[in-house]
Amino acid sequence: MALVVLLAVVGGAFALLAWVGPRKLYWALGAWIHRDPQANEPSDAAYTVQRFGYIALSAASFVGAFSTAHWQGMFTSEEARVRQAVEKAAERMEEADVTSGGSANSATGRYNSQVQSAVRQASPHDLELVATHVSGEQYTVTTAAGEHPFCLVVRASSQDVYVPGAEGSTSTTSYLKLSVSAREGACG
């Protein structure tokens, strides 16, 4: 935010210099240095180049401020940021290999720790998200104020991996692969 403000102020300063004009700036600020200010006054071409330079620097500063603000998400609504975070959390959970489903606790859900961890990691630094277990493997994700709810539904399937062993033997290791869907609205 501070960088955006700084770039906008610098852009405004250069725009003001271009508006006032290099000739007025010379006579107000620089002419006193010379014994004969009229003999040392820059040419019209030099003034034109300076004015275009001020305009170019002003435009570059404003473009930098706008780009930085866009990159920081200042033009994105809170609901869109929550949606992005929930989708990112769902992707993280699907990419993770889960060796066990945890306890089958109906109060918190079997995959509560995975959901909490994924939501915490996917949350933007300036937006706190809360995942609440609803029932089964459904979790409602909202802002800390309870706004913009999204429903995460977690399903698991067992995957077997065959590991070759010594002397031609193989062993089987199982892990859980999570499938996560997200939709707008609270889980019901």
Side-chain angles (χ1 to χ4, degrees):
M1 177 71 170
L3 181 59
V4 173
V5 172
L6 175 67
L7 287 171
V9 167
V10 168
F14 281 120
L16 181 65
L17 290 174
W19 180 69
V20 168
R23 185 178 311 268
K24 287 182 182 175
L25 290 173
Y26 171 76
W27 285 104
L29 303 174
W32 66 271
I33 296 174
H34 305 288
R35 186 173 294 198
D36 185 7
Q38 285 183 330
N40 291 301
E41 183 178 10
S43 67
D44 288 342
Y47 284 142
T48 302
V49 169
Q50 283 181 336
R51 184 179 300 258
F52 281 121
Y54 293 150
I55 291 169
L57 289 171
S58 174
S61 295
F62 284 128
V63 166
F66 180 79
S67 298
T68 303
H70 181 70
W71 177 71
Q72 290 179 347
M74 294 173 74
F75 302 127
T76 306
S77 70
E78 186 175 74
E79 182 178 0
R81 293 172 63 216
V82 172
R83 176 181 291 111
Q84 290 171 350
V86 167
E87 290 170 355
K88 191 175 183 181
E91 289 174 14
R92 283 181 185 267
M93 290 177 61
E94 288 182 344
E95 292 170 358
D97 294 329
V98 181
T99 54
S100 69
S103 63
N105 185 346
S106 62
T108 61
R110 183 179 297 260
Y111 304 106
N112 188 47
S113 63
Q114 287 87 353
V115 170
Q116 298 295 337
S117 175
V119 167
R120 187 173 42 258
Q121 291 174 359
S123 297
H125 63 85
D126 60 340
L127 181 65
E128 182 183 354
L129 298 180
V130 178
T132 308
H133 176 255
V134 177
S135 67
E137 293 308 322
Q138 295 182 347
Y139 303 85
T140 297
V141 179
T142 63
T143 62
E147 297 173 333
H148 314 298
F150 281 82
C151 181
L152 282 178
V153 179
V154 182
R155 293 179 185 83
S157 61
S158 180
Q159 305 283 326
D160 293 330
V161 176
Y162 298 100
V163 181
E167 301 174 12
S169 66
T170 60
S171 63
T172 305
T173 302
S174 294
Y175 69 94
L176 297 173
K177 190 68 178 166
L178 299 181
S179 172
V180 183
S181 62
R183 66 174 170 77
E184 194 168 347
C187 299

